[in-house]
Amino acid sequence: MPSPSGPQHKDATVKVPWRTATGRKPRQSAQPQRAFSRGTVALAAVVLLALSACTAAPVPGPSAPASATATAAAATTFNFGVGSDPLGFDPALVEDTESYRVTRQVLEGLLTIDPVTGAPAPSLATSWQELDDGLAYTFELRPGVKFHDGTAFDAQAVCTNFERWYSMSAATRGDGSASMFKQVFRGFKDDAANSLYKGCTVDGPLKVTLGLNIRLTGFLQALTLPAFAIASPTALTTGTADVLDQTYATSKVSRYALHPVGTGPFTFTQAGAGTVTMNANAGYWGEKGQITTLNFKTFDQPATRLAALEDGSLDGFDPVTPSNLDKLIKSGKQVLQRDPFSVMYLGINQKVPVLADQKVREAIAAAIDKTTLVNNYFIAGTATTAQFIPPKLSGFNNKVPGILYDQAKAKTLLAESSYKGEELKFYYPTNSSRTYLPSPEKVYASIAAELTAVGFNIKPVPVPWSDGYVTAVTQDGDHALSLLGWNGSYADPDNFVGPLFGSPGAELGLDDPQLVSKITRARSMPNGPDRVAAYESISKQLAATVPAVPIAFPISAIALSDKVVSYPLSPVLNEVFNHVVLAPKTG
């Protein structure tokens, strides 16, 4: 599940992003590395600095003054290529990477992510305090901040947003399974008995308290999600944000979702097929950066993204696919690699009766050659997996090997199961490259061939990403199998297992109260050995019951032109373009 495009890590091996103009091969590792390794940001700047003979100041934190490099006098347009159009611009109601890529530039939350440690850091809140053993948090807010429409940012604005999310009707949110509010807080106002959210209290013009019904260990980390960015209350009202009477791409959206208003470094200008345009916020409270006009341009085919970078139409693009990696190296373009913090998986919908049979699901898992998939269709260094929690997070269970590739075993399991040759509709996305799934058509073809070889009757159902693929496989429907992934967003194991398995959902057709209870208990436990053991137990149960088949922890990469001296690379895609440093213009 896409997700914004969104990391508790312990040890780490430093990975140095590379610049291929030297002719060196990309440095790869066989194991996933720490999502927020100290070297990821600092050494990226060192490598680019040494090879471009430019001077780059370190990127300051959110509360730091603008750097000298951010005072470029001339207007600067920056064009960045993406793999698909966004689905909308109200982060409370979308969860795809490309929508979040836009909203991260326009809206900000109370907290952001420290690019070095991965810990929550000040943004619209300057400080916070835990109260009542984690049942409440008080936040001191940043003074003097205004939304792009001139509305003052204050405590009431914060509460307006939280109460909007909590009170959102089913007509607006659907069943809520795709909403980050439900994934974090487990319920809305119309299901208050099951919601972890208690309320928002204005304690002063710039002081606010958020209350919880039970302790939520990853609460501060969750507040860094794009879904919890604070919108202008005025714009929410005038844009009738909860009335979905407009259309963008294939999505029903509100007028507000066509023009979001936040406090961020860029103001939203316009969006159309293939292009989203933003302009620098002249009144931004933080570092303004060098880019005055920012365009995100959609190129759904890897070859066209590469060609646009080479002819200068683009200044960078995301993602790099294995098919264009060698070409980028040969042409001397910069390629920066993110530490892996996502999981790509095969979804299995147990509402399809035959897939409720565990032996059928085990046969599916045994039929898939993950190693060949990873070697053929992912960037080198991507690791196969039998679990959903990455190795660097507590809860990864070294004692869980999962179901190994064994076609003979798959055939035996299938013969012993209730499967009698029923047609299984296998949905997969087309015309899109995702950071967790750079070549979806090829991955589908490989898995479908392996499943057919052991006796499954597979019917391909290709759905263009921009035509509502995510909706098709996450709502009630006839999908039996589907390809998706989850981009980790913050450093807590609940971020990986909670959204997928922590409540009943239409994607997997899973209704397991015992599993939900285990996840709910684990997410409220204080950090320590007991919580680690709880998530290890969850990982073991998921591997044994196979509600989905985790396949890989993909490595993703971006390509940049020589115009870029430094880029704020982030494993959770928290990449805000006022932190891009550009080479001085010549001539």
Side-chain angles (χ1 to χ4, degrees):
M1 184 177 294
S3 149
S5 268
Q8 173 162 277
H9 300 262
K10 298 182 176 69
D11 57 311
T13 302
V14 171
K15 182 185 292 294
V16 183
W18 64 87
R19 176 183 167 102
T20 57
T22 61
R24 293 178 293 176
K25 289 285 186 180
R27 176 181 172 182
Q28 304 283 5
S29 167
Q31 298 295 327
Q33 297 179 337
R34 176 175 174 175
F36 285 98
S37 59
R38 184 171 298 274
T40 302
V41 175
L43 288 178
V46 172
V47 171
L48 295 175
L49 172 62
L51 292 170
S52 62
C54 297
T55 301
V59 176
S63 59
S67 67
T69 59
T71 59
T76 301
T77 297
F78 194 87
N79 297 315
F80 194 82
V82 298
S84 63
D85 284 340
L87 300 180
F89 307 110
D90 181 350
L93 292 173
V94 295
E95 58 174 347
D96 64 294
T97 299
E98 298 310 336
S99 296
Y100 281 165
R101 195 193 301 272
V102 173
T103 64
R104 286 183 191 274
Q105 318 304 319
V106 177
L107 298 106
E108 299 170 302
L110 296 178
L111 305 179
T112 187
I113 299 169
D114 186 292
V116 174
T117 67
S123 183
L124 292 179
T126 57
S127 63
W128 52 91
Q129 182 179 3
E130 179 180 327
L131 306 172
D132 300 332
D133 195 27
L135 292 179
Y137 289 82
T138 293
F139 298 86
E140 299 288 344
L141 306 181
R142 190 174 298 280
V145 176
K146 290 186 179 295
F147 292 98
H148 300 153
D149 60 4
T151 302
F153 166 74
D154 57 15
Q156 185 57 58
V158 174
C159 284
T160 296
N161 277 264
F162 272 88
E163 290 301 310
R164 178 209 171 204
W165 303 327
Y166 178 54
S167 304
M168 197 172 285
S169 70
T172 302
R173 69 177 197 247
D175 68 0
S177 60
S179 162
M180 288 306 302
F181 187 90
K182 183 173 182 179
Q183 291 172 14
V184 172
F185 294 105
R186 293 299 187 262
F188 298 91
K189 188 174 183 178
D190 55 11
D191 186 27
N194 293 313
S195 180
L196 306 188
Y197 176 79
K198 185 174 183 179
C200 180
T201 303
V202 173
D203 300 321
L206 294 174
K207 187 174 183 180
V208 66
T209 297
L210 296 174
L212 302 171
N213 286 315
I214 67 170
R215 177 187 175 89
L216 181 56
T217 302
F219 177 64
L220 293 176
Q221 290 91 335
L223 290 186
T224 68
L225 290 169
F228 299 125
I230 307 300
S232 162
T234 303
L236 291 173
T237 299
T238 59
T240 55
D242 295 333
V243 180
L244 309 186
D245 57 357
Q246 306 291 312
T247 300
Y248 184 82
T250 58
S251 304
K252 296 297 293 181
V253 301
S254 68
R255 286 190 293 115
Y256 171 79
L258 297 176
H259 196 102
V261 179
T263 60
F266 293 91
T267 61
F268 190 91
T269 304
Q270 62 182 357
T275 303
V276 178
T277 299
M278 288 156 284
N279 290 320
N281 175 14
Y284 183 52
W285 60 266
E287 180 181 7
K288 294 182 175 63
Q290 295 171 269
I291 297 169
T292 54
T293 300
L294 174 61
N295 297 312
F296 290 141
K297 297 188 173 184
T298 302
F299 294 82
D300 58 20
Q301 297 300 316
T304 58
R305 288 198 296 275
L306 176 62
L309 183 69
E310 290 178 333
D311 69 18
S313 301
L314 290 178
D315 301 305
F317 70 76
D318 181 25
V320 170
T321 62
S323 63
N324 58 32
L325 180 58
D326 286 343
K327 295 175 183 177
L328 285 163
I329 292 172
K330 290 177 182 178
S331 64
K333 301 298 183 185
Q334 299 181 57
V335 178
L336 304 185
Q337 175 180 306
R338 299 182 183 95
D339 288 341
F341 202 67
S342 64
V343 60
M344 177 259 159
Y345 62 90
L346 174 70
I348 302 175
N349 183 6
Q350 292 186 43
K351 286 188 178 179
V352 175
V354 72
L355 296 181
D357 185 336
Q358 183 167 319
K359 283 195 174 183
V360 175
R361 302 197 302 274
E362 291 176 358
I364 291 171
I368 299 174
D369 183 354
K370 299 177 183 178
T371 299
T372 297
L373 277 176
V374 163
N375 288 343
N376 289 346
Y377 306 123
F378 292 83
I379 291 176
T382 293
T384 62
T385 181
Q387 299 180 57
F388 284 87
I389 298 175
K392 296 299 181 180
L393 285 180
S394 60
F396 180 84
N397 193 336
N398 288 313
K399 298 178 181 179
V400 176
I403 297 174
L404 302 178
Y405 171 58
D406 186 334
Q407 285 203 321
K409 179 180 179 180
K411 291 177 180 179
T412 299
L413 286 166
L414 203 58
E416 295 173 350
S417 76
S418 60
Y419 183 72
K420 303 301 179 185
E422 294 90 340
E423 180 180 85
L424 299 178
K425 292 185 177 180
F426 191 160
Y427 280 59
Y428 64 97
T430 63
N431 300 332
S432 178
S433 298
R434 318 306 296 169
T435 53
Y436 55 75
L437 187 58
S439 305
E441 295 93 342
K442 294 178 180 179
V443 170
Y444 158 77
S446 181
I447 293 176
E450 291 169 337
L451 294 177
T452 301
V454 301
F456 285 102
N457 178 10
I458 300 297
K459 180 180 180 179
V461 184
V463 180
W465 184 271
S466 60
D467 286 350
Y469 176 77
V470 174
T471 299
V473 300
T474 58
Q475 295 186 0
D476 287 329
D478 62 356
H479 58 286
L481 306 173
S482 59
L483 290 180
L484 264 181
W486 180 261
N487 283 310
S489 303
Y490 58 91
D492 193 275
D494 184 67
N495 183 231
F496 281 85
V497 298
L500 293 174
F501 310 109
S503 60
E507 179 187 357
L508 304 178
L510 181 64
D511 189 1
D512 185 341
Q514 188 263 353
L515 177 60
V516 170
S517 178
K518 288 180 70 171
I519 292 174
T520 300
R521 175 177 175 270
R523 68 203 310 264
S524 65
M525 297 172 68
N527 285 320
D530 290 344
R531 192 169 194 256
V532 171
Y535 278 106
E536 287 180 346
S537 176
I538 291 167
S539 290
K540 182 178 180 180
Q541 180 170 336
L542 292 173
T545 58
V546 203
V549 182
I551 291 174
F553 294 127
I555 288 175
S556 66
I558 68 168
L560 298 166
S561 74
D562 290 341
K563 178 178 180 177
V564 181
V565 173
S566 179
Y567 179 90
L569 201 67
S570 167
V572 296
L573 309 182
N574 185 36
E575 298 166 357
V576 186
F577 281 65
N578 62 317
H579 293 305
V580 172
V581 178
L582 304 176
K585 292 183 178 180
T586 59

